[in-house]
């Protein structure tokens, strides 16, 4: 904002979606991330990055190919990028979703299920897609220190992800020192 305050994605993403420009923003962010990784790689640092993409970008049939080409042009291996997708992607027909994410995985990039546990969580997405990472939404973590119920739910979800061989679980929104 003009006053220097942060504008949350929930306020600008719907506007960009309505104007059909979100894919351009996604591509710009990817270009910036790849350029930064290219610079870091040139300095001898081998780092990874996570990038969120909108559903409209992911549904572009050329996404995986364009992604791979951009990585190649920058000298960054696709495996250095984790693509974060939200549960809303589960609204896509199951077979189409599997094909889409399989195509992405074949490029070498990693997949992360972001904001898991928001609104009406779709547990079936965990049965359909082998995510490399599941990021639990802040709403599941907020009361973890004071609520036994929250501890049980989050604990069981983490156990379930381990049993499904998800390689990593992340709890979002842990900003308190206590």
């Amino acid at each position: 904002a003009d006053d220097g305050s942060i504008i949350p994605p929930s306020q600008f993403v719907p506007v960009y979606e309505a104007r059909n420009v979100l894919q351009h923003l996604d591509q710009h962010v990817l270009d910036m991330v790849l350029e930064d990784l290219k610079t870091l790689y040139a300095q001898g640092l081998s780092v990874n990055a996570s990038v969120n993409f909108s559903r409209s970008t992911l549904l572009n049939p050329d996404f995986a190919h364009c992604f791979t080409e951009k990585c190649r042009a920058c000298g960054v291996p696709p495996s250095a990028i984790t693509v974060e997708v939200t549960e809303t992607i589960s609204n896509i027909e199951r077979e189409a979703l599997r094909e889409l994410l399989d195509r992405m995985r074949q490029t070498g990039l990693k997949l992360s299920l972001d904001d898991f546990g928001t609104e009406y969580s779709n547990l079936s997405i965990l049965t359909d897609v082998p995510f490399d990472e599941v990021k639990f939404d802040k709403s599941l973590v907020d009361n973890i220190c004071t609520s036994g119920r929250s501890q049980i739910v989050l604990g069981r979800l983490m156990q379930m992800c381990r049993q499904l061989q998800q390689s990593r679980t992340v709890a979002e929104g842990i900003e308190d020192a206590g």
Side-chain angles (χ1 to χ4, degrees):
D2 291 339
D3 65 357
S5 62
I6 295 174
I7 301 172
S10 61
Q11 288 184 9
F12 68 84
V13 167
V15 174
Y16 286 177
E17 283 177 335
R19 293 185 177 155
N20 204 24
V21 296
L22 203 49
Q23 289 185 43
H24 300 291
L25 177 61
D26 285 347
Q27 293 304 319
H28 177 69
V29 169
L30 177 60
D31 291 343
M32 290 174 47
V33 167
L34 289 173
E35 283 300 319
D36 287 347
L37 287 175
K38 178 181 175 181
T39 300
L40 293 169
Y41 277 43
Q43 296 171 4
L45 300 171
S46 179
V47 295
N48 298 329
S50 293
V51 182
N52 289 75
F53 289 101
S54 66
R55 208 172 101 148
S56 59
T57 297
L58 294 173
L59 290 174
N60 181 330
D62 293 331
F63 173 77
H65 175 73
C66 291
F67 176 88
T68 304
E69 287 302 308
K70 285 184 177 206
C71 286
R72 186 190 55 71
C74 286
V76 174
S79 61
I81 305 287
T82 298
V83 173
E84 296 185 5
V85 297
T86 61
E87 286 180 75
T88 59
I89 201 164
S90 67
N91 295 336
I92 301 169
E93 189 270 324
R94 288 179 99 157
E95 190 57 35
L97 175 63
R98 269 195 291 268
E99 288 175 18
L100 166 72
L101 296 177
D102 282 346
R103 250 190 339 266
M104 290 169 55
R105 185 178 291 290
Q106 288 169 4
T107 67
L109 61 82
K110 296 179 181 71
L111 296 174
S112 174
L113 179 58
D114 193 20
D115 298 330
F116 186 72
T118 56
E119 296 182 28
Y120 303 103
S121 292
N122 185 347
L123 290 173
S124 68
I125 194 170
L126 295 176
T127 65
D128 290 339
V129 180
F131 288 97
D132 298 293
E133 174 182 81
V134 175
K135 294 174 76 176
F136 298 114
D137 187 70
K138 181 180 179 350
S139 63
L140 290 174
V141 178
D142 280 343
N143 299 319
I144 196 73
C145 292
T146 58
S147 168
R149 295 175 70 87
S150 292
Q151 292 169 10
I152 290 169
V153 169
L154 196 56
R156 294 300 185 265
L157 286 171
M158 291 175 70
Q159 179 183 24
M160 182 175 57
C161 287
R162 278 193 300 271
Q163 289 175 327
L164 290 171
Q165 299 177 345
Q166 309 295 344
S167 66
R168 186 179 146 163
T169 54
V170 177
E172 296 184 307
I174 301 177
E175 284 91 16
D176 292 339

